Amino acid sequence: MKKFILFISLGLLFSCSSNDSDYQDIDEVNEAYQLQIPTNFPELKYNFQNNPLTTKGIELGRELFYDGRLSSNNQVSCAFCHEQKDAFTHHGHDLSHGVDDKIGRRNTPAVQNMAFVNEYFFDGASNNLEMLSISPIHNEVEMNETLPSIISKIETDPKYIKLFDLAFSDQKISSQNMLKALAQFMTVTISSNSKYDKFVRNEPGGEFSISEKNGLEIFKNKCASCHSTDLFTDNSFRNNGLPRNPRLNDLGREEVSGSPSDRYKFKVPSLRNVALTAPYMHDGRFGSLQSVMNFYTNGLVDSETLDPSLKHGNQLGISLSEEEKSLLISFLHTLTDSDFISNPNFKK
């Protein structure tokens, strides 16, 4: 079985120095970049026709992702809330933080495997990866900035003059090209080399312990209807029975669709790297996987939109013994992708 290799020609892909003064050393070569799809993954959903991947487009996107000038105070970059070591989440923070220490309304979602889904954020407010970055940029408690203002701050930077010139045929430092470059970088942040991946692809390093195998079987029987495929999400929006958080008054998907039938529904998150991304749920209310397990066994509340899969007559939730919870957690740790969180090509 073919082994998935994310980057070809690493030196060519990210040859740019991070120091502005070294802009003249940026490699002049821009090449088409062929994304390699992991053999155990579903098909891509992102349409690359209007934004083909190139080595310099990806490099430019990475520079922008780590640039605090995308925020009004020049300090809050995309990476401020999406830290690579935590699978591009804000580990330890229940809600996102932004400019001037303002607090958002939701937990920071992971940036991983973005090209395999087509709806983003917990409420699905964006269905376009190129437009996704506008939401946090414009949000007054996150980055609180505008696209024209960002362009005015970077358009005289020699590093960006060089990179935009190489990355796009029109050579323009523009909002459109900036958003395209950010999308290109997010496209290649693929996590697909965990112990679980090696197990299903029958590769070295994928040998499961008895506990991990038993945990996988429990997962298949009790969790995989929502956390399906090797992305570990069916990309649906569901009400999983969380007690209301009166402080946030978050209606979930209803805020986007306007339909009361979507009240309290949130996107089913991928479980990849889940051991690294605490706290959990859209409002970060649970600090551990054990707490999540306990919630699903005895913490749900009923409502008109509660997902039917969590309702069995008068019983709510998922029946799990303490041993089953332990085995499930053992399996979930096999979804940690150490290569992904340490890949030097994703760093500043």
Side-chain angles (χ1 to χ4, degrees), residues 53-122:
L53 293 178
T54 67
T55 55
K56 288 304 171 187
I58 297 167
E59 181 178 338
L60 172 58
R62 184 196 65 168
E63 290 291 335
L64 291 164
F65 190 85
Y66 284 92
D67 196 330
R69 286 176 290 181
L70 270 63
S71 65
S72 60
N73 66 359
N74 298 319
Q75 295 178 13
V76 177
S77 65
C78 303
F80 180 83
C81 283
H82 298 282
E83 300 180 74
Q84 183 184 5
K85 64 182 177 62
D86 303 315
F88 291 102
T89 63
H90 211 189
H91 173 71
H93 297 272
D94 55 348
L95 303 173
S96 63
H97 289 221
V99 293
D100 304 320
D101 293 323
K102 293 178 180 177
I103 306 298
R105 295 178 63 227
R106 291 177 182 156
N107 184 253
T108 301
V111 175
Q112 55 183 359
N113 303 325
M114 305 287 275
F116 298 91
V117 299
N118 56 10
E119 288 181 297
Y120 308 98
F121 304 117
F122 279 109

Side-chain angles (χ1 to χ4, degrees), residues 123 251-265:
D123 58 8
L251 299 179
R253 179 66 170 169
E254 182 184 1
E255 296 184 1
V256 173
S257 71
S259 173
S261 64
D262 284 331
R263 184 163 297 176
Y264 307 137
K265 291 183 180 180

Side-chain angles (χ1 to χ4, degrees), residues 114 120-121 126 128-137 179 186:
M114 305 287 275
Y120 308 98
F121 304 117
S126 175
N128 186 323
L129 188 55
E130 293 162 41
M131 298 294 103
L132 177 150
S133 298
I134 294 177
S135 180
I137 287 173
L179 294 171
M186 288 187 282

Side-chain angles (χ1 to χ4, degrees), residues 12 23 43 46 50 67 71 83 98 102 114 122 157 180 184 193 197 202 208 225 236 245-246 254 263 276 325 341:
L12 178 63
Y23 71 92
E43 293 183 359
Y46 181 65
N50 295 324
D67 196 330
S71 65
E83 300 180 74
K102 293 178 180 177
M114 305 287 275
F122 279 109
D157 186 324
K180 283 185 173 183
Q184 288 194 41
N193 207 29
D197 294 301
N202 196 28
F208 269 19
S225 61
S236 65
N245 187 331
E254 182 184 1
R263 184 163 297 176
L276 305 176
K325 293 176 187 177
I341 62 171

Side-chain angles (χ1 to χ4, degrees), residues 67-222:
D67 196 330
R69 286 176 290 181
L70 270 63
S71 65
S72 60
N73 66 359
N74 298 319
Q75 295 178 13
V76 177
S77 65
C78 303
F80 180 83
C81 283
H82 298 282
E83 300 180 74
Q84 183 184 5
K85 64 182 177 62
D86 303 315
F88 291 102
T89 63
H90 211 189
H91 173 71
H93 297 272
D94 55 348
L95 303 173
S96 63
H97 289 221
V99 293
D100 304 320
D101 293 323
K102 293 178 180 177
I103 306 298
R105 295 178 63 227
R106 291 177 182 156
N107 184 253
T108 301
V111 175
Q112 55 183 359
N113 303 325
M114 305 287 275
F116 298 91
V117 299
N118 56 10
E119 288 181 297
Y120 308 98
F121 304 117
F122 279 109
D123 58 8
S126 175
N127 60 5
N128 186 323
L129 188 55
E130 293 162 41
M131 298 294 103
L132 177 150
S133 298
I134 294 177
S135 180
I137 287 173
H138 284 181
N139 190 296
E140 62 182 12
V141 299
E142 293 187 42
M143 303 173 88
N144 192 35
E145 189 52 288
T146 66
L147 299 180
S149 176
I150 293 170
I151 296 304
S152 70
K153 286 190 281 188
I154 68 173
E155 64 185 353
T156 59
D157 186 324
K159 173 183 62 180
Y160 282 126
I161 292 173
K162 186 80 168 181
L163 280 173
F164 275 91
D165 177 71
L166 290 169
F168 295 103
S169 59
D170 65 9
Q171 302 176 326
K172 291 182 179 179
I173 300 180
S174 65
S175 299
Q176 182 182 42
N177 285 342
M178 178 182 72
L179 294 171
K180 283 185 173 183
L182 283 167
Q184 288 194 41
F185 175 68
M186 288 187 282
T187 294
V188 300
T189 55
I190 293 177
S191 177
S192 65
N193 207 29
S194 65
K195 186 176 184 179
Y196 167 82
D197 294 301
K198 296 172 185 176
F199 172 77
V200 297
R201 295 195 300 248
N202 196 28
E203 295 173 358
E207 298 77 18
F208 269 19
S209 67
I210 294 175
S211 294
E212 291 165 345
K213 287 182 179 178
N214 290 339
L216 173 57
E217 290 307 309
I218 295 168
F219 181 87
K220 289 178 178 178
N221 292 330
K222 300 193 175 186

Side-chain angles (χ1 to χ4, degrees), residues 322-342:
E322 292 305 313
E323 181 182 8
E324 286 175 322
K325 293 176 187 177
S326 177
L327 292 171
L328 267 175
I329 291 172
S330 180
F331 164 68
L332 291 175
H333 276 271
T334 71
L335 304 181
T336 299
D337 184 352
S338 298
D339 292 345
F340 177 68
I341 62 171
S342 61

